[in-house]
Amino acid sequence: MCSTKNLELVKSLGADAVIDYTDEDFTKNGQTYDVIVDAVGKHSFKQSRASLKLGGSYLATDHFVNLWLALWTALIGGKRVRFSITSRMPTKKDVGFLKELVESGRFRPVIDRTYPLDQVVDATRYVETEQKTGNVVLTVSRD
């Protein structure tokens, strides 16, 4: 799901189907899904629940209420909220695996803008506009 301006980008990343959220509300189209990932906190579990298949999962990336929902839905079964919290730092093996995926073309990161580290405030302001497409990268110079 993305805005009209990102339809072709998302298709090029390999999506089987793409919904333009400016044109269609996925919670009202009558379709159900195995997994709904709310990457930016736009649709709550409550809003998305009817769009999940039985046994489906809602993957939350923010809002701490989802921690409670993850515990609750694990107990009652059916449609579940899943919330990942890890304190594990990426290992050399993790980074190598990611490098392999990028080099093989199986993973293509989308970089919207790049800022030098001394422009971190500008980078943060841009991210806060909620208009970015992909990632904003800070570069560190040896100078």
Side-chain angles (χ1 to χ4, degrees), residues 7-23:
L7 286 173
E8 291 309 313
L9 169 66
V10 173
K11 288 177 186 176
S12 78
L13 294 172
D16 294 329
V18 182
I19 298 171
D20 181 345
Y21 67 74
T22 65
D23 189 43

Side-chain angles (χ1 to χ4, degrees), residues 104-118:
S104 70
R106 291 181 289 162
F107 174 74
R108 192 180 95 201
V110 177
I111 299 172
D112 183 321
R113 295 186 184 181
T114 303
Y115 291 86
L117 185 59
D118 64 350

Side-chain angles (χ1 to χ4, degrees), residues 3-39:
S3 66
T4 308
K5 75 173 189 151
N6 294 319
L7 286 173
E8 291 309 313
L9 169 66
V10 173
K11 288 177 186 176
S12 78
L13 294 172
D16 294 329
V18 182
I19 298 171
D20 181 345
Y21 67 74
T22 65
D23 189 43
E24 179 182 347
D25 182 347
F26 82 95
T27 65
K28 295 178 181 165
N29 67 10
Q31 294 184 41
T32 56
Y33 307 92
D34 294 312
V35 177
I36 296 173
V37 179
D38 185 15

Side-chain angles (χ1 to χ4, degrees), residues 4-139:
T4 308
K5 75 173 189 151
N6 294 319
L7 286 173
E8 291 309 313
L9 169 66
V10 173
K11 288 177 186 176
S12 78
L13 294 172
D16 294 329
V18 182
I19 298 171
D20 181 345
Y21 67 74
T22 65
D23 189 43
E24 179 182 347
D25 182 347
F26 82 95
T27 65
K28 295 178 181 165
N29 67 10
Q31 294 184 41
T32 56
Y33 307 92
D34 294 312
V35 177
I36 296 173
V37 179
D38 185 15
V40 292
K42 296 286 184 182
H43 286 86
S44 67
F45 175 65
K46 183 178 179 181
Q47 293 169 303
S48 305
R49 186 177 177 155
S51 298
L52 280 172
K53 291 181 180 176
L54 187 59
S57 294
Y58 170 85
L59 280 69
T61 57
D62 64 352
H63 303 296
F64 285 107
V65 70
N66 290 313
L67 287 171
W68 164 248
L69 288 171
L71 294 169
W72 177 251
T73 59
L75 293 172
I76 63 171
K79 301 170 184 182
R80 296 190 55 189
V81 173
R82 298 186 187 270
F83 196 92
S84 176
I85 297 178
T86 180
S87 60
R88 184 179 77 82
M89 294 295 294
T91 65
K92 185 176 181 178
K93 184 177 176 182
D94 294 333
V95 174
F97 176 67
L98 185 58
K99 179 180 181 273
E100 225 176 80
L101 291 175
V102 170
E103 288 175 347
S104 70
R106 291 181 289 162
F107 174 74
R108 192 180 95 201
V110 177
I111 299 172
D112 183 321
R113 295 186 184 181
T114 303
Y115 291 86
L117 185 59
D118 64 350
Q119 292 180 15
V120 67
V121 172
D122 293 332
T124 302
R125 284 187 184 128
Y126 177 63
V127 169
E128 289 173 346
T129 67
E130 296 184 5
Q131 298 302 308
K132 72 180 187 72
T133 300
N135 298 291
V136 172
V137 175
L138 293 174
T139 57

